[in-house]
Amino acid sequence: MKGFFESSKQALLLTLTMFVICGVIYPFAVTGVAQAFFKYEANGSLIEVDGKDVGSELLGQSFTSPQYFWGRVSAVNYNVYSQEDTMPDENGDTAYGGVSSGTFNYAPSNPELITRIESNIDTFLQDNLGVKREQIPADLMTASGSGLDPHISVNAAFIQVERVAKASGLSVKEVDAIVKANTEDRLFGLFGENTVNVLSANIDIYKKMNAQ
Amino acid sequence: MWQIAIILAIYLPLVILAGHYLFRVTMNENTWLDPVFDKIDGIIYRVSGIKQVDMTGKQYVFTLILSNAFMVFIGYLLLRIQSALFLNPNGIDNMEATLSFNTIISFMTNTNLQHYSGESGLSYMSQMLIIIFMMFTSAATGYAACMAFCRRLVAKTDTLGNFFVDLVRIITRVLMPISFVVAIILVAQGSPQTFSANKTVETIEGKMQDIALGPVASLESIKHIGTNGGGFYGANSTTPFENPTVFSNIIEILSMMLLPGACVVAFSLMVAHRRKKTIFGKQGLAIFTAMGVLFLIGLVTVTVAERAGNPLISNLGITQELGSMEGKEMRFGVEQSALFTAVTTAFTTGSVNNMHDTLTPIGGLVPMFNMMLNVVFGGKGVGLMNMMMYVLLTIFIACLMIGRTPQFLGKKIEEKEMKLIALCILIHPAIILLFSALAVATTAGVAGITNPGAHGLSQVLYEYASSSANNGSGFEGLADNSTFWNVTTGLAMFFGRYVTIILQLAIASLLAKKIWYSDTVGTLKTDNAMFTTLLVAIVLLIGALTFLPALSLGPITEHLKIYYR
């Protein structure tokens, strides 16, 4: 019985010590170093336009205006909302329920997946006259895992160029250049995929439109 | 394919290096870091009143469970009162009782199954004091058990090693330094590390966006190093803040693979110890190769399946040349996602960089089967112990076939051990299949299923396979935050962890007390290619026998349905 109390005492004291080391000292030490050397990254890589934060370089946003590039389908609408979305409807539900992440989790065999993609294709074709069905890359019609994916494939950007140019008043050449400037190549030409950052491309368009 | 091959090629020298270091830490041999770490450990021992005396197998298991119990009770209490404590800038509420039970068991057992979403369910204090704390201690507990197991296989006594000392050494000398370095790399790539509250910005379209911040990187690194897997955010390592770039993805993949593989290397050195200096002992190499073969079979299958895409989407007339992209992130693409999926389930981490519920049927079968086998490297420490069960079983079966006395590392394997080994191997499938049967037979269980048809069964199977294997990933569509799911998966995780560890250490104790016989010409060789082949065959055979019926009704049916309807 004496052994039991002795072991319990050691177990309890070690637990408390480890609370302090792993749960307090370690995260505070990492924060200290991070804030000292990587201030921009450690605080969310926020992008400023005209002195105001407009988003994070790493997080996508939902865009609906025709003059901006559209990103991938998001189950959480990129945590983007307007004032009305926070007002409760007659059932007391709000369209925006607070910050989250995730996807629809539709199985490949789920009929709702096909219905969702089909209706998105139809909408996209209506808004992008001249684009053919087989030109649409699947990444643009499928939902990302996080619902916050900032990227689309290069083809997904190029099929939108014409619409963006028309609606923004920029020339096709200018928009093409913006896509190229915001294309991130595979790491060492090998790892990952070639991508276009939707938010940073749209900020370039926004700036160009305001300059005109 | 090349990007996967290169990452695996980088892994091999790293794992051997880490294995040698782990061996030195385990066997109390000198390292050049001792002057610093001896001081730190000394302080911890003094504060906690730890007497560094050797323990018997029984005492070792007892203290392991006792200290885990203390951690569980304090952690549970903290979750229930988190809203009133400090560091809660986002005003998060207390956690509900069954969810707290599930969460605390989940993190203590190194499972990290999450029925909550981090950004809305936990305060920063809970993320640190409970989640990060348990990620360190549960990983160290698993490895300590493995150390105790391996030491007993090569020792001639059952009284050796002290659980508290093992736990402290593994945290201060292995987990903490590596996690610190990886955390800083992740911050440099873009993971936030701050205590300030979430931010709301105004977009260029005039709307608002909430940006969830927090001490992400410090959790993210130990999450992979300790093969834990629970994310800071609901969507885990798919979220750009947890896994910002392809580079961070590769770092996270290698972090998961490092220590489970290194355990096998360290074991190989322990076996070869008394004979001569070597880079990779033959016995361990035979086991490592078997694990590697099983891993590669899974990896190739999931990559090919995901590359092929979803035929139902191709039928819609759009182009699917990048593969199946539903639930995946653009910056990773199919190959980085497939590799992550194979690694996170083989090495039993449970973090995800794509949503497994949306994988193609065969692509989803691979992670499920990895967890059902639970021996393809496996979690930190425990994976090796699980594989040792199969090693002993293989020796037993092989020796029966050729009519010799089964013997491993000079110890005879007899009736008593074999009974425990059989029990140990059967517990895992029993937990998965019995709980799955219960879930599909009750309304409370069925209520969680969100996808129609065969995939619904896959969701159930996956959840229990993940719980029992202490993996923690999920087919996340499952509406699992209900009393039924919280309690049953909590129990599955608990039994999957502790019953297995108790049985395995009991087996090790039995072997440790046995008389040592030197090998003769008649002894079955257990360190050659022949044995590796046998081992792989036995693992696959038992896996197939137990799980094929269930898998046919789930993923295989779904595959046939979308291809031939």
Side-chain angles (χ1 to χ4, degrees), chain B residues 293-312:
Chain B
V293 169
L294 290 166
F295 172 70
L296 287 178
I297 296 174
L299 175 62
V300 171
T301 312
V302 64
T303 312
V304 170
E306 292 308 301
R307 268 244 151 269
N310 180 348
L312 300 183

Side-chain angles (χ1 to χ4, degrees), chain A residues 6 26 31 35 42 58 60-61 65 72 78 81 96 101 105 109-110 116 118 133 136 138 143 146 149 192, chain B residues 3 48 51 119 129 187 193 205 208-210 218 221 235 240 316 319 325-330 451 558:
Chain A
E6 181 54 37
Y26 162 74
T31 311
Q35 291 290 342
L58 297 171
Q61 287 180 354
S65 323
R72 299 188 62 194
Y78 295 93
Y81 57 98
Y96 177 71
S101 55
N105 284 308
S109 60
N110 194 330
R116 191 200 76 209
E118 185 70 60
R133 195 170 252 267
I136 304 176
S146 61
D149 194 345
Chain B
Q3 50 179 320
S48 318
K51 303 180 182 67
E119 53 266 67
L129 217 49
V187 173
Q193 179 69 28
E205 278 192 339
M208 283 168 294
Q209 182 183 33
D210 283 351
S218 55
S221 59
L316 296 175
T319 165
M325 285 303 289
E326 175 77 14
K328 293 196 181 62
E329 297 288 294
M330 196 57 228
N451 275 304
E558 192 190 6

Side-chain angles (χ1 to χ4, degrees), chain A residues 43-171:
Chain A
N43 292 303
S45 312
L46 299 176
I47 315 177
E48 271 186 24
V49 173
D50 307 329
K52 268 196 336 198
D53 291 332
V54 296
S56 165
E57 195 189 321
L58 297 171
L59 303 183
Q61 287 180 354
S62 81
F63 287 96
T64 47
S65 323
Q67 71 268 29
Y68 294 127
F69 286 101
W70 300 337
R72 299 188 62 194
V73 181
S74 164
V76 297
N77 200 34
Y78 295 93
N79 293 323
V80 169
Y81 57 98
S82 56
Q83 205 65 53
E84 301 94 71
D85 294 335
T86 58
M87 307 288 181
D89 59 10
E90 60 267 27
N91 300 326
D93 297 330
T94 51
Y96 177 71
V99 67
S100 62
S101 55
T103 188
F104 296 95
N105 284 308
Y106 289 155
S109 60
N110 194 330
E112 283 173 56
L113 171 71
I114 304 305
T115 318
R116 191 200 76 209
I117 296 179
E118 185 70 60
S119 96
N120 282 342
I121 295 175
D122 290 344
T123 321
F124 188 85
L125 289 175
Q126 271 167 23
D127 293 330
N128 294 271
L129 299 172
V131 174
K132 291 195 205 68
R133 195 170 252 267
E134 60 269 23
Q135 286 178 309
I136 304 176
D139 62 280
L140 200 57
M141 295 297 132
T142 48
S144 63
S146 61
L148 301 166
D149 194 345
H151 297 112
I152 52 177
S153 64
V154 180
N155 283 341
F158 274 120
I159 58 168
Q160 299 186 50
V161 164
E162 207 155 302
R163 183 200 75 229
V164 169
K166 213 163 163 192
S168 64
L170 305 177
S171 71

